[in-house]
Every structure is written in C-alpha cells, then in structure tokens.
C-alpha cells in the first residue's frame, strides 16, 4: 500500500461511468414506466451505489479507506443503453477514482440483477474514469 | 426479492468475464514479469475476486445469499487486454450469475487500482455472463 | 449460541413492523410526491432493508447466519405515521424473527436519515414481531 | 448524499435511546442476576452496540462514513422496561445522530435476540434522539 | 477454492484454542473482579468471537461460507495465562476448523485491545486446532 | 470506548508479528516453489492482511475506526517457521497496534487455510507487537 502519511489533504473529485446495455426496447420502457417486477431500478441502484462507494476499501486490498464526503449518481438513457454517471468527492490525501469506478460497477450490477428476469442479454461496458481533480495529475478536466 | 422457498436445489454453474484494457505494452510486461510496485496483480486480484464473489449479496439489495461452493479465476492476456474468466458453482435454489459477474468486476477493479500508478489509461469492459447451467434456461452451453 | 445442528429444516416466515412517526404533515406529503431532496425514501428504504435483513447475523452476536429466501417490504401511511411491514422467509432450522425486526429497524433508520433535513421530530416506534410460522410456537397466526 | 467537503469539523455529540419492553418480571430478574442462558445480555448488547455504531454508514445508503471517537452505553431499568442510553462523539463535518440511533437499535435487537427463549413478548420502542450538540441546530440541550 | 459441490453434508465439529498471556498478576485480578475500565473482557470477547466465527469467509479468501450452527466459548485461567477454548459446529460439506481458529484469534485480540491500557506486555500464543470431527480425517479425537 | 475527541493527531506506526509453524519441510518448499495447489500463499496472505488491517474496527468492539495510511507485509522464513512482519501507519489520535496485530493474525490464518490440505500440523504463534511509535509510550524503539 502506498504510504500517504506525509501527504497533504486536498479537495478531490472523481467522475466515473458504467454503461448497462440491454437487449430489448421493452426493458428500457419497463425501467422508465416503473414496471420492473423487482422494483424501482434507478432508486435501488442509487442506494446500492452509495453503499458500494463507501465499501470500496473493504473489497480492494490495496485501496486506502477514506471519508466519502459526497456521492451523486445520474442516469442517461439513449437507445438500448443506460449510462451511469457517478461523482465522488472527498477532502483527503488520496483520490477517489477507484471509489467512483467501484460505485459505477455496483450500480450496473444491481441493474443487471433486477433486470435479469426480463432480459437475458444485459451486458456491462465502459467502466472508466471520466474526470478527476485534486491530485498531482488531473484527467478529463479541460 | 423473488421467493425461492419452494424451489429445489440443483447444481449451478456460471462463468463470467471482464476485460481490463491497458494503454501501454509496458503495463502488460510489468504484470508478466511481476515488477508492478504494488505487488503480484494476478494473485491479489484472485484473492479480492474470491472475497468479492462471497460478498455479492452484501452489496446487491435484491440478491439472495447462497453457499459459494467453488470459485476459480483464470486470466488470458492478448495484446493490451487481460481477460478475466471467473467460474462460480453452487448447489442451491438460485443461480450464481450475478456472483460471477460481481467477482469479475472486483478482480478488474483490483487490477485497475494496482496499475493506476503505472498507467493512467486503464479501462474495464465487457463484464458479461459467458455461460450458465442448472437453472430453467441455460445460456452459452451449446 | 443455541446448537441447531440436530434440528430439521422447516418453512419459516416472520412478519415484523416498525413505525416511523414524523412531526409535520408536510413530511408525509414530500414522501408521497417524491420531493424529498435526498431521493425516493420508500425505494431507498427498501434497498437498505433488504441488505439489513441479510446482515443480521453480522451485527447480532448470538444470531445464526441463515439463507434469506424471501424478503418483502410494504408501507402503510396514516396521519403522521408510516408503518413498515416486512416479511422474511426461509427453509432452515431456525426462524427469521430477528432478521425481520432488524430489517424493519434499518428501513426506519434510513427514512429517519433521509427525512432529517426536513423534519427534526422524527421518531421510531413499535419495532415488533407481528407473526411467525414454522417453529415450535407460532405467533399471531390465528 | 449531502456534499460536506466544504464544511468545517466541529465537536459533535449525540445521545439517543431505545426502550426494550419485556412482558414478565422474571425476564428483568434473569437479566439482573445474570441467569439468561444465552449469556450476559448487557455486556453482549454493549459489544454489539459499539460495532453497530461503527457500521452505520455500511447499512444506511445516504449516511457519511465518519470517525467514531467515543461511544458509551448505559442502561436504566424500571418496571418491565430497559432504557438503553447511547452517547456518540466525533470531531467531524457532520453529526452522529443516526449513528447513535442505529447503535441503540442494535443493542435493543441483541437483547431481543438473547431474551427470545425466555420471553415471547419483547418489544422495542421509542428509538429517538435525546440530544445533539455541535451542528447548526442543537436539540435537547437546554 | 476447492470444489465441494459434489460432497455430502456431515456433522462437523472443530475445537480451537488461543492463549492470551498477560505480564502482571494484577491484570488477571482485574479481569476476574470485573474492574477493567473498558468493561467485561470475557463477555465482550465472547460477543466478538461469535461475530468473528461468522465472518471468517469474509476475511480469508479461500474459505467457503458455511452455516455456523453452534459456537461456544470457554475460558480457563492459570497463572498469567487465559486459555480461550472455542467450539464450532455445522452440518455441511466442509469443516469449521478455520472458523474456530479465526474466532479464537478475534477473542484474543479483543482481550488484548481491552487490556492494553492496563498491561503493555500482553501476547497471543498457540492459536491451534485441538480437535476436529466429521471430515475424512479426524484430529485429536482419541 | 476511550474518548479521543480532544486528542491531537500524531504520526503513528506499529509493527507486529505472527509466526506460522508448519510441521514438514515439504510445506516450506511448496510455498517457496509456488506449488501449493490453492495458489500463491504469500501474495494471497498479503491481500487478506491488507483487508484485515482495514476491518479491525469492524471486529473488535472497543477499537476506534481510523484511516489506515500505510500497510506493508514482509515474510521471513527459517526452518519450519514463517515469520509475518506487518507495519501499519496513520496520522491520527490513536495508535495502530491492534490493527497491526489483527492483520498479522489474518495473514497467518490465510496461510493456515491454504496449507491445510498439505500439512495437518500448522500452528500460529507469537502474535505480538514488536514496535510502536507516536503515542505517549513508545515500545521497542531503542
């Protein structure tokens, strides 16, 4: 584990995404109309994502535990794809990129799990960092 | 949550994948030679993946807890991609697809976390189910 | 911990409740209209409750871990009170009463946490078992 | 989740209660004499409550993780009621009210779980905040 | 992870120990008299040990999750040593040796943590399996 | 729990050890050659140890949660013994001794669990603090 005892705390932000791709138009409609039998996919995904962000250091061996001071989750739907955009912030010695990416994957997996009875062809794509600020090297921040 | 109290236990297998795509050939070489400063990426990913599979029901609200009776993780490297193949088995009333997919995502995120200092362009792709057996509808099992 | 190794598995059901009492009519309206700033209180409560039921044996020392095979959460609103009704089922050697009561308390606390900015007078009451079936002594089952 | 990155840390205290109501005088006597077959209810409740306070952000989606810097648990018995009084302190950007209330509910549920074989009529009441200090609005602090 | 899907469940028992060695007679007396400022060391150790046994598969990557159907913890004090004896039982396809050893270590660490302010010389020894029954090879069972 | 709200943060280090004693020379050779069937014992032990250090406050009731800012694990093999040396650092109000000792025990138990099929005589010894700095009383720091 990297030794961060001597680092200064700075304001850190990370934005990550995951894309859930369904196989049928009806799946998207069921999400929008709130008729998925297992419940409200977007709200339950949000709850799971918040918890997932906070549990990142519990699952990834090398990851420092840190105070998650903000987490926000938005959804963008287009065609058969639902893009999950997750923003995490802290004031600490290390960044929150992995937390944001882990949160995005947990939201995506929660959606997969809830949609499974409706659609056997759901896949998860493009879990990646969109932006980070506050560390030595900012990304995606033009 | 689906009521499974009246279902019969059967042997269940699920195979899922995730693809970690790095941005530089040197990253793959460091993994193969074991020179990644944070340690042995493949073994630590395996440890994290085993734990991740077992914690799936802790993170996904709608997912039934179940006895994970086997988990195996293999890696295939080609070009700039590392494919993680994870197999999960149980003898229970419901399948282990989500467990396998969650495990694959945790391995991928562990690799991302350990490779971050070497390579700023790592992405995670194609988290998907390759095969399942033992439920009402088998997939990928021709 | 009670030794249950020699017991037979039977179908078990437990129904528990918790009552969240708010202090202003506007709070109830905000929940119903979905205008609580922290999000959809009922869906996020449901997600947290499902996870809470599954984590009961992680928090209560003397409680046996068991396969949660069904969990359902309903809400009844009347006046300033929201009654949370949670049903848990398993096929196992011991009952799910404590799981149901723990789940009810987690739903109630999630509501408290999300409503706090709107209403400083929220209290939680009457966490109790309404019904259990499947053990030596059934309760509430006339 | 509320964004607290720009807030200042202050000393925070919260005191919460839960009331466990048993149905028979003999139950209270067994607790006092230490003859409950499952063990020392008050000490095991205290251990579970400390752990519960620390796990609050693991269970409640919207709750910030924070450094729990003190937790104390006291019991007051009168008639058929055991009042659990729990105090939590931190020096951080947000309060510990929900942590105290969650801890109180975990102590109460642990007592319920341990007393169940002796007394089928145990209920949990009045989980509420008694006092908080250190935030914008103090409560119960005259 | 070993594949146990094809194995038969049998009754399994494991007994493990850990020894906590303190450096001063006064420490043992404080435990016996219940005057340790942090509380009742033996009851809090028992609560932590029960939870530790149940969380073994959460911490050890290669360990199968299993239904812990009994856990009992006893203490033997002699001179400056406290021997923790922990018994775990299940009816399952694999044994509970590691669960018993992990529980013993958690009890010992809880005692260390609570005694630290009184005694700087506490050590933990001899975490080992005393007996197992129910698998292919029994140990300590003459 | 000790009230640390009024304490100042200082740099804290703790070094702890555990000794895993195997019963046959062949076990040590299998570890060194990487031929243990369950995988790379030293890397998987390291992954589990990092996670174990971070989860200490989840298992030990009286232990404060704290920001683990560094963790390093080394192994020394001599004869039939493998000594695990674990270093933990933080900048906080309380020390990391128990975290280091818990991490050492988790590494040792992971090794035990992975070596069990090869060697029935593995024991764990001498879990103890070697050194601490940064608190009122330093230990082992001449």
């Amino acid at each position: 584990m990297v030794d961060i005892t001597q680092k200064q705390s700075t304001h850190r932000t990370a934005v990550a995404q995951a894309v859930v791709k369904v196989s049928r138009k009806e799946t998207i409609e069921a999400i929008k109309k709130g008729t998925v039998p297992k419940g409200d996919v977007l709200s339950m995904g949000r709850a799971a994502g918040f918890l997932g962000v906070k549990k990142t250091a519990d699952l990834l061996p090398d990851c420092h535990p840190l105070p998650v001071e903000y987490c926000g989750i938005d959804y963008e739907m287009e065609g058969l794809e639902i893009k999950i955009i997750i923003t995490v912030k802290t004031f600490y010695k290390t960044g929150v990129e992995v937390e944001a990416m882990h949160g995005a994957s947990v939201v995506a997996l929660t959606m997969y799990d809830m949609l499974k009875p409706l659609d056997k062809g759901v896949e998860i794509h493009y879990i990646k960092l969109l932006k980070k600020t506050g560390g030595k090297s900012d990304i995606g921040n033009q």
Side-chain angles (χ1 to χ4, degrees), chain A:
Chain A
M1 199 183 280
V2 174
D3 185 344
I4 59 169
T5 46
Q6 305 298 331
K7 296 184 75 174
Q8 293 298 316
S9 291
T10 58
H11 285 282
R12 310 278 190 149
T13 302
V15 184
Q17 68 158 44
V19 173
V20 172
K21 196 166 174 181
V22 304
S23 71
R24 307 185 315 135
K25 222 172 45 187
E26 289 76 8
T27 310
I28 296 291
E29 279 159 22
I31 296 171
K32 286 185 176 168
K33 288 185 191 153
T35 58
V36 175
K38 286 193 169 190
D40 178 346
V41 174
L42 305 182
S43 285
M44 288 186 70
R46 182 171 282 121
F50 285 178
L51 292 166
V53 164
K54 292 186 281 183
K55 281 177 195 164
T56 304
D58 259 18
L59 283 160
L60 306 194
D62 223 85
C63 180
H64 296 93
L66 51 75
V68 173
E69 299 192 333
Y70 172 72
C71 180
I73 296 173
D74 290 304
Y75 299 99
E76 295 173 7
M77 296 195 212
E78 197 183 319
L80 295 176
E81 291 188 353
I82 304 146
K83 188 182 283 185
I84 300 151
I85 310 277
I86 181 162
T87 303
V88 181
K89 295 185 189 176
T90 192
F91 178 74
Y92 193 58
K93 302 175 177 187
T94 186
V96 280
E97 299 94 88
V98 180
E99 281 74 13
M101 289 180 67
H102 182 244
S105 85
V106 170
V107 179
L109 287 160
T110 299
M111 296 179 75
Y112 175 91
D113 184 40
M114 295 181 75
L115 296 173
K116 220 174 24 162
L118 292 188
D119 187 331
K120 303 292 177 203
V122 179
E123 293 186 9
I124 298 171
H125 287 267
Y126 306 110
I127 300 180
K128 68 177 176 186
L129 189 64
L130 296 177
K131 183 173 159 177
K132 63 172 255 200
T133 63
K136 271 180 299 187
S137 53
D138 287 357
I139 289 179
N141 201 21
Q142 301 79 353

